[in-house]
Amino acid sequence: MFPSRSGLIARASQAMPGYRRQQRRVIGFFIASLCAMVSLFGWLLTGQYEQEIRAAEARAVARSNVVTEWAKGVFGQSGQALFILAQQMESHAFTSPEDMANIQRTVEAFTGYMPLINELGILNAQGRVWVSSSHNRHAGLDVSDTSFFRSFQQGQQLELVTPLYWSDEDEQFYLYHARRINDENERFKGIVVARLVPQTLMDALQQMRVYDGESMSLVDASLRLIARQPIPTQQTVVGMQIDDPATQQWLTTQETAQTFTARSPFDGRERLFHMQRAGSYPVLVVVGVDVEKQLAGWRQRSWVLTMVMAVIVLLGAWGLRHYLNRLALTDQLRSREARMDALINSLQDLIVVFDGKGRFRYIHAIEKDKRLLGSQQALGQHYHQVLPSPLAHTFDAVFQKVKHSRQVATFEYPLMLDRQPRYFHATVSPLASTTNDFEGVLSVTRDITNAKQAEVELQIAAAAFQAHLGIMVTDARGNILKVNDTFKRITGYSDAEVVGKNPRMFSSGHHNAAFYRRLWRSVLATGSWEGEIWNQRKNGELFPEWLTISAVYGAEGELTHYVATMSDISERKAAEQEIHQLAFYDPLTGFANRRLFMDRVGNALKELNRHQRCGALLLIDIDNFNHVNDTLGHHAGDQLLQSIARRFGQMLRDTDTLARLGSDEFAVLIEGVDGSPRQTQKLAEHIAQKLLSALDEPVNVGEENALVTASVGITIVADSQRSAEDYLQQVDMALSQAKGSGRQALRFFDPSMQAALLAKVKLEAELRQALENQQWRLYYQPQVDRHGTFTGVEALLRWEHPERGLVSPGEFIPLLESTGLINDVGEWVLEEACQQLARWAESPRLAPLTISVNISPLQFREADFLTRVEEVFQRTQAPLAQLKLEVTESLFVEARDDARDKMLSLKALGVRFSLDDFGTGYSSLAYLAQLPLDQLKIDQSFVQQVLESKANAAIVESTIALAKSLNLDIIAEGVETTPQQAWLMAHGCHAFQGYLFGRPVPVQEFETMLLAQTHP
């Protein structure tokens, strides 16, 4: 009935190979499955790792784009302020005090309402600060030697933002934003500079929320830190140097952005950084994401997967061990593995089971950092013993509610984990037995911290949407999706009136189709467009706006939306119009100013060349206008000019241009005259006579009547090869001739006027070389006593020109004084005379002679006059008792006390003084007694008329009496005849100088004359 033992063994032996084959098959399958599982888990972990890194990179790029747009907007505001100031400076000459005050107020206004700008300044073409904010405290500061200024001066820069500069004055770092100013010919006129405060950028950056481990920084082109969020632990932030050779190398390339992983130089944390340039500004935006924080979840998942894999391996090994003995349980094993897989896939949230009394019965949590206590420690304890008190009390209410209602309840709660705020959402479900008795609750808790942060970011985005700029969002087809309140306030439309519509509804018709084609080509090519555009409000009013359009692309690079920001610039355009009016029109009369007038003359020259027409230029100067200002006041003078301008305007044709060039100087351009220059000359003379006749009637100025006249200069514009400046110079010469010939005169330009001017210019150029080329000579004219004996000489300057010979002093002395060369030449004359005195001191016959040297008032008024004269005395060692300095009465018209003090200082050294040309000046006779004079010199204009003019004779006689009363010597110059000498001697004058006794001669001839007198 039972099989034998041998049969059993045989059957076993027969089954053994099949079992072993099945064993080997199962073991092989297990090993293959194990390898596949390891590969799969490795692939999953690698993919998740790469996904985390891409997410971190995308996050860094997105945050970097936000910060970059913000930084560009910030620098764009200062750039717009500089653009406005530069436009004002380029379109206006700013020569009057009112202009200066206006630009000062503009500078102060920009500094006041733009916190980023610490100070604004305007530099002229020479590198000096012309106007600055803070009450113009840096006016006159010279920065011409800086590379920053030279880069603009040499035309290398139009606009520039510098790296950080350290200010020793304020002991802090600044950024400088500058823009070049050109004149109407595009030549360098100066720069407008804004000093930017990095702390403002730092404060603004602190308002942006950063995630744990995230950092945002602004760095200049020299890798100095401008701003950072969060602030590093070091006390000093702005200006900290970042030593990174790789970034320095990258800055030399043309790449706009790069992404790399490095350790932060501030806190040593490893981050994935995205660095990009802030547009054209030399500022780098760097956003870093903490790699450790970003990969924390991935590491936890890796640990869980590893543990799961270990569990699977153990279960597989256990199953393999029992497989051969429990083939019947295969279905159950598969079912158990399926349940295990389901459980593994569901282990994402925190799962806790509480019994009916609130004690922990089961805890499942993959992420350990989301548990306050270990699972084994918490099991069996009441939640009041584990949870924080506020959370425990909150859970009390939920627990009781679920217990009594037997319904699911949800609630949210915050919790501090590792000193970081986290937010959780819990779903609490009741647990019941088969008899429907309450056995506890099941709590499934999910971390919603990221969702909360996203909600906050949405709130921030919503707040930004309600900014002071108008914002419009459209879909990819251009249909309006949303607008903000500012947009509705600017356009006058409501949401219902614009949502779903195309922005073409705002078109003003001011721009053609080609303009919009260029606009959208720019948006599609570069992703954005920015510029000025005219649109229409709901009420039909046209208005200018500054519009920025940006294209928004999705993760796959597809176009999703357009975002447009706009600002109403109506007030700015009005200000620009006012600036244009100030730049091209005279604010007093309303007629053209010099700049517009010169533009009109330039256009007239082009028309002259094109159509062979003639024109004329008139320059009108009001005679003795200063008398009106002095007697009636400047307000009355302004009223007078306005009345004159109105009369002139009524006398001119519509094609003529009337301009006010200066205080009381008007100009008229007559153009488009067909005919010869002779006909044009007749027409110009006719118009000039009409203008003069317009002043025949008295002009009412307040309660007074003023009778004014004018002088007119005219030049004919017939040669297109000459420039506007050439013609203005010609008409100015003609006006000078008219003013010199008397009041209410008219003169045409004559080429001889220009020839005389050129000769004067040439003479002045040659005069500047005379001292260097040793062309100056001293001639000496004898001075004699009543017996004809030589008592001294007057040293007279002569110019020995290599081509013209001896040049008359009347030609070059005024030029010496007008050019300022009189100081150096006068010092040379004094030194030559002193050296001559030193040489004569060695001769008994020549030693008693005196030398008179003329001192110019300009020379005498120099601050270092005494120092230079004393150095001459020291070098020559001349006997100063034999030296007489001749001064004129004009010296005492201004700064009399200063002149007297200098004379007393020289008097103390032994020098004597002679008052030359007495009677021709304006000095007070009462003050004359207080001057340290030794001699009065009667001017030759009186001496030569003493015999013919009783008036001149009376003046000379009074002068002699005055000199005797003041105990002064008296000498008469210009004595040419014996009767003149006899008259002078009869009236008490016993010292003479003139042609009767000798002409000015070189020193050798004078010494020969002296020896001949000594040895007849």
Side-chain angles (χ1 to χ4, degrees):
M1 294 181 63
F2 300 98
S4 64
R5 180 175 180 181
S6 59
L8 292 173
I9 295 173
R11 287 196 297 270
S13 61
Q14 292 175 356
M16 186 64 67
Y19 172 77
R20 289 177 178 175
R21 284 195 301 270
Q22 189 174 9
Q23 183 185 39
R24 287 194 296 270
R25 189 181 301 116
V26 171
I27 292 174
F29 177 78
F30 174 76
I31 293 174
S33 300
L34 183 62
C35 292
M37 182 180 63
V38 171
S39 300
L40 176 62
F41 281 12
W43 177 75
L44 289 174
L45 289 175
T46 303
Q48 290 179 359
Y49 177 85
E50 292 176 352
Q51 183 177 3
E52 291 290 345
I53 294 299
R54 285 196 299 270
E57 183 176 351
R59 178 176 164 189
V61 170
R63 297 285 279 178
S64 179
N65 289 336
V66 172
V67 178
T68 299
E69 291 301 319
W70 166 75
K72 288 164 61 178
V74 170
F75 286 109
Q77 290 180 358
S78 66
Q80 187 175 5
L82 295 180
F83 175 79
I84 293 172
L85 282 176
Q87 287 293 311
Q88 293 182 13
M89 296 303 302
E90 290 176 356
S91 60
H92 201 280
F94 291 100
T95 57
S96 68
E98 292 80 4
D99 296 337
M100 183 71 173
N102 288 338
I103 195 65
Q104 181 69 41
R105 285 193 294 270
T106 302
V107 167
E108 297 291 352
F110 275 123
T111 308
Y113 75 80
M114 297 184 71
L116 177 65
I117 298 180
N118 172 262
E119 188 162 351
L120 271 173
I122 302 175
L123 279 63
N124 60 22
Q126 289 74 40
R128 289 188 177 275
V129 177
W130 180 58
V131 173
S132 73
S133 59
S134 300
H135 306 291
N136 212 10
R137 64 167 181 167
H138 287 122
L141 179 64
D142 187 1
V143 297
S144 60
D145 59 342
T146 62
S147 59
F148 167 75
F149 176 80
R150 288 195 295 270
S151 66
F152 283 94
Q153 188 181 44
Q154 296 169 4
Q156 300 173 1
Q157 297 288 344
L158 175 62
E159 185 175 355
L160 174 66
V161 177
T162 70
L164 289 172
Y165 274 85
W166 176 256
S167 172
D168 291 330
E169 179 184 358
D170 298 330
E171 295 187 351
Q172 60 176 315
F173 283 97
Y174 291 104
L175 293 165
Y176 291 86
H177 193 172
R179 185 179 181 90
R180 176 186 172 105
I181 305 174
N182 294 328
D183 60 15
E184 64 273 8
N185 296 319
E186 297 300 316
R187 292 192 299 266
F188 179 67
K189 187 176 179 182
I191 58 177
V192 183
V193 184
R195 187 166 74 175
L196 311 181
V197 184
Q199 188 60 43
T200 305
L201 299 174
M202 174 69 81
D203 296 339
L205 199 59
Q206 297 306 306
Q207 302 303 315
M208 296 188 181
R209 179 182 180 85
V210 296
Y211 302 108
D212 182 26
E214 186 181 43
S215 68
M216 297 184 291
S217 304
L218 296 181
V219 182
D220 68 7
S222 62
L223 294 188
R224 285 185 180 274
L225 185 64
I226 300 173
R228 189 178 189 271
Q229 165 72 325
I231 301 176
T233 56
Q234 297 91 333
Q235 293 182 354
T236 302
V237 175
V238 177
M240 292 178 61
Q241 182 66 49
I242 301 173
D243 187 13
D244 188 358
T247 303
Q248 289 283 11
Q249 179 66 25
W250 177 78
L251 287 174
T252 62
T253 69
Q254 298 300 318
E255 297 179 15
T256 59
Q258 68 166 345
T259 302
F260 58 96
T261 301
R263 288 199 175 274
S264 171
F266 298 101
D267 54 17
R269 299 171 73 172
E270 184 180 16
R271 289 187 175 89
L272 187 145
F273 291 98
H274 181 77
M275 176 185 296
Q276 68 181 52
R277 305 175 193 264
S280 61
Y281 302 109
V283 175
L284 302 178
V285 176
V286 185
V287 175
V289 177
D290 193 322
V291 175
E292 186 69 24
K293 291 291 183 181
Q294 185 69 22
L295 296 178
W298 176 82
R299 290 190 177 92
Q300 292 174 355
R301 290 191 295 275
S302 300
W303 180 84
V304 172
L305 289 175
T306 302
M307 295 301 296
V308 170
M309 185 175 66
V311 170
I312 293 176
V313 170
L314 292 174
L315 290 175
W318 177 83
L320 181 64
R321 178 182 176 185
H322 296 84
Y323 178 75
L324 295 175
N325 297 322
R326 302 184 63 181
L327 291 177
L329 300 177
T330 301
D331 292 338
Q332 297 179 6
L333 180 61
R334 291 176 180 174
S335 176
R336 185 177 298 172
E337 289 176 349
R339 290 196 298 273
M340 181 64 70
D341 289 340
L343 178 60
I344 292 172
N345 292 330
S346 64
L347 298 178
Q348 300 297 323
D349 298 327
L350 176 65
I351 301 174
V352 181
V353 176
F354 297 92
D355 63 14
K357 296 182 178 181
R359 293 188 295 263
F360 286 91
R361 283 290 175 253
Y362 174 78
I363 300 175
H364 166 73
I366 295 178
E367 300 180 2
K368 295 182 178 180
D369 62 343
K370 294 181 181 178
R371 291 184 294 177
L372 295 173
L373 196 65
S375 299
Q376 297 302 321
Q377 295 173 300
L379 291 176
Q381 296 191 43
H382 195 273
Y383 59 79
H384 270 284
Q385 297 174 294
V386 177
L387 301 179
S389 179
L391 178 58
H393 289 301
T394 302
F395 192 67
D396 277 340
V398 176
F399 189 88
Q400 294 300 323
K401 179 180 179 182
V402 173
K403 179 178 180 180
H404 292 96
S405 66
R406 302 294 179 92
Q407 293 181 354
V408 176
T410 61
F411 72 102
E412 294 181 2
Y413 62 91
L415 195 60
M416 293 295 295
L417 296 176
D418 293 335
R419 294 182 296 180
Q420 295 293 330
R422 307 295 289 269
Y423 297 89
F424 297 90
H425 178 276
T427 301
V428 182
S429 304
L431 297 176
S433 65
T434 55
T435 59
N436 203 27
D437 293 331
F438 179 74
E439 292 189 347
V441 296
L442 171 67
S443 174
V444 180
T445 304
R446 177 168 296 176
D447 188 345
I448 60 170
T449 303
N450 292 335
K452 282 288 186 179
Q453 291 175 345
E455 182 181 349
V456 171
E457 290 185 356
L458 287 175
Q459 292 174 351
I460 294 174
F465 193 70
Q466 299 304 323
H468 67 283
L469 296 176
I471 301 177
M472 175 177 63
V473 181
T474 73
D475 59 17
R477 293 178 296 177
N479 297 321
I480 299 174
L481 301 177
K482 188 172 180 58
V483 295
N484 68 350
D485 292 338
T486 305
F487 182 92
K488 291 182 285 186
R489 186 176 66 253
I490 292 175
T491 62
Y493 288 97
S494 64
D495 284 322
E497 292 171 319
V498 296
V499 173
K501 304 293 180 60
N502 193 282
R504 283 192 297 268
M505 65 182 293
F506 307 113
S507 177
S508 63
H510 191 77
H511 307 283
N512 56 24
F515 170 82
Y516 291 104
R517 284 196 298 271
R518 290 193 302 270
L519 184 154
W520 287 110
R521 277 200 300 267
S522 175
V523 174
L524 294 176
T526 66
S528 65
W529 179 88
E530 183 178 16
E532 181 181 310
I533 191 170
W534 284 83
N535 272 338
Q536 188 175 21
R537 306 187 204 271
K538 180 180 178 181
N539 59 9
E541 177 188 354
L542 301 183
F543 71 99
E545 66 180 20
W546 190 263
L547 179 66
T548 301
I549 301 176
S550 300
V552 181
Y553 295 93
E556 302 298 328
E558 74 280 6
L559 179 65
T560 60
H561 298 84
Y562 292 106
V563 177
T565 61
M566 57 175 285
S567 60
D568 190 343
I569 57 173
S570 302
E571 294 183 359
R572 195 189 82 185
K573 296 293 289 184
E576 290 176 357
Q577 180 62 32
E578 183 178 354
I579 291 172
H580 180 272
Q581 182 71 21
L582 292 173
F584 293 101
Y585 291 91
D586 176 44
L588 181 64
T589 62
F591 289 99
N593 62 8
R594 176 181 288 272
R595 182 174 183 178
L596 180 58
F597 185 75
M598 296 304 291
D599 288 344
R600 296 278 178 87
V601 175
N603 294 333
L605 291 176
K606 295 177 183 177
E607 290 294 320
L608 171 67
N609 187 39
R610 187 179 298 114
H611 301 293
Q612 298 299 317
R613 294 180 176 180
C614 295
L617 202 59
L618 282 69
L619 197 59
I620 309 158
D621 185 84
I622 308 303
D623 297 327
N624 300 323
F625 176 73
N626 287 338
H627 293 173
V628 177
N629 282 337
D630 294 340
T631 57
L632 301 179
H634 288 278
H635 179 67
D638 291 344
Q639 290 181 325
L640 177 65
L641 291 176
Q642 291 172 338
S643 299
I644 292 173
R646 284 195 296 270
R647 291 189 182 184
F648 284 170
Q650 294 170 357
M651 295 293 176
L652 297 174
R653 304 172 302 171
D654 293 338
T655 57
D656 300 332
T657 300
L658 173 64
R660 178 174 174 243
L661 304 186
S663 173
D664 60 338
E665 194 172 69
F666 294 87
V668 177
L669 172 63
I670 303 171
E671 54 181 321
V673 181
D674 294 322
S676 65
R678 184 179 297 277
Q679 293 174 331
T680 304
Q681 181 175 351
K682 290 181 180 179
L683 175 62
E685 184 175 6
H686 174 69
I687 293 176
Q689 292 295 349
K690 288 176 61 180
L691 295 176
L692 291 176
S693 63
L695 302 178
D696 290 343
E697 293 292 329
V699 180
N700 293 326
V701 181
E703 298 179 356
E704 302 289 339
N705 287 331
L707 185 61
V708 295
T709 60
S711 301
V712 183
I714 308 175
T715 187
I716 303 303
V717 181
D719 183 4
S720 62
Q721 300 303 316
R722 295 184 180 274
S723 67
E725 293 292 342
D726 292 337
Y727 281 112
L728 195 63
Q729 185 180 26
Q730 289 182 1
V731 74
D732 190 61
M733 294 180 193
L735 177 62
S736 298
Q737 291 288 330
K739 292 169 65 176
S741 62
R743 305 171 72 183
Q744 203 170 6
L746 183 151
R747 291 290 183 274
F748 279 89
F749 168 75
D750 191 294
S752 61
M753 299 178 186
Q754 194 163 16
L757 178 62
L758 292 175
K760 181 180 178 182
V761 172
K762 181 181 179 182
L763 184 65
E764 180 178 335
E766 293 173 342
L767 189 66
R768 295 183 181 275
Q769 303 297 323
L771 184 59
E772 181 179 349
N773 297 334
Q774 300 181 354
Q775 296 173 0
W776 295 116
R777 302 288 183 268
L778 271 190
Y779 277 42
Y780 297 93
Q781 186 174 23
Q783 295 177 342
V784 301
D785 59 13
R786 60 183 301 177
H787 303 295
T789 303
F790 290 172
T791 59
V793 293
E794 180 180 1
L796 300 172
L797 182 63
R798 294 293 184 266
W799 181 14
E800 190 173 328
H801 195 277
E803 298 176 359
R804 301 175 57 185
L806 287 178
V807 181
S808 170
E811 293 186 51
F812 68 78
I813 292 296
L815 280 178
L816 284 177
E817 293 185 339
S818 63
T819 58
L821 295 173
I822 191 66
N823 296 310
D824 294 334
V825 176
E827 183 177 351
W828 178 87
V829 171
L830 180 61
E831 185 158 358
E832 285 291 311
C834 288
Q835 288 178 352
Q836 190 61 55
L837 279 175
R839 287 192 290 269
W840 282 352
E842 299 174 357
S843 170
R845 178 65 187 91
L846 299 173
L849 296 177
T850 63
I851 295 183
S852 299
V853 178
N854 290 283
I855 302 296
S856 168
L858 296 177
Q859 189 180 354
F860 207 96
R861 292 175 186 140
E862 282 295 310
D864 61 345
F865 172 70
L866 283 178
T867 302
R868 297 177 71 170
V869 170
E870 290 172 357
E871 289 175 354
V872 170
F873 293 164
Q874 185 68 28
R875 289 194 299 268
T876 60
Q877 295 297 313
L880 300 183
Q882 303 305 115
L883 177 65
K884 283 194 295 186
L885 299 183
E886 293 192 4
V887 296
T888 61
E889 293 180 85
S890 60
L891 174 64
F892 310 109
V893 175
E894 298 179 3
R896 296 180 179 180
D897 293 337
D898 179 67
R900 182 176 180 273
D901 292 341
K902 291 179 179 178
M903 290 174 67
L904 288 173
S905 298
L906 294 175
K907 188 81 170 177
L909 299 177
V911 179
R912 291 187 290 171
F913 285 93
S914 176
L915 186 60
D916 195 10
D917 301 335
F918 181 74
T920 61
Y922 307 98
S923 294
S924 168
L925 295 180
Y927 189 77
L928 187 63
Q930 304 175 23
L931 297 176
L933 296 173
D934 299 281
Q935 185 183 65
L936 289 184
K937 198 169 191 179
I938 305 173
D939 187 66
Q940 62 181 350
S941 61
F942 299 124
V943 172
Q944 293 173 0
Q945 297 293 326
V946 293
L947 300 178
E948 291 83 9
S949 172
K950 293 182 179 180
N952 285 341
I955 291 173
V956 173
E957 188 174 359
S958 300
T959 301
I960 295 172
L962 176 63
K964 290 181 178 180
S965 66
L966 296 176
N967 198 24
L968 299 176
D969 294 336
I970 188 76
I971 184 171
E973 66 175 349
V975 180
E976 298 181 354
T977 64
T978 302
Q980 291 174 353
Q981 181 187 17
W983 190 93
L984 291 167
M985 291 178 62
H987 288 82
C989 179
H990 303 294
F992 313 99
Q993 176 183 339
Y995 288 172
L996 180 62
F997 313 102
R999 293 177 177 271
V1001 293
V1003 66
Q1004 295 83 0
E1005 292 186 29
F1006 170 74
E1007 291 176 350
T1008 301
M1009 292 170 56
L1010 181 65
L1011 293 175
Q1013 186 186 55
T1014 308
H1015 306 288

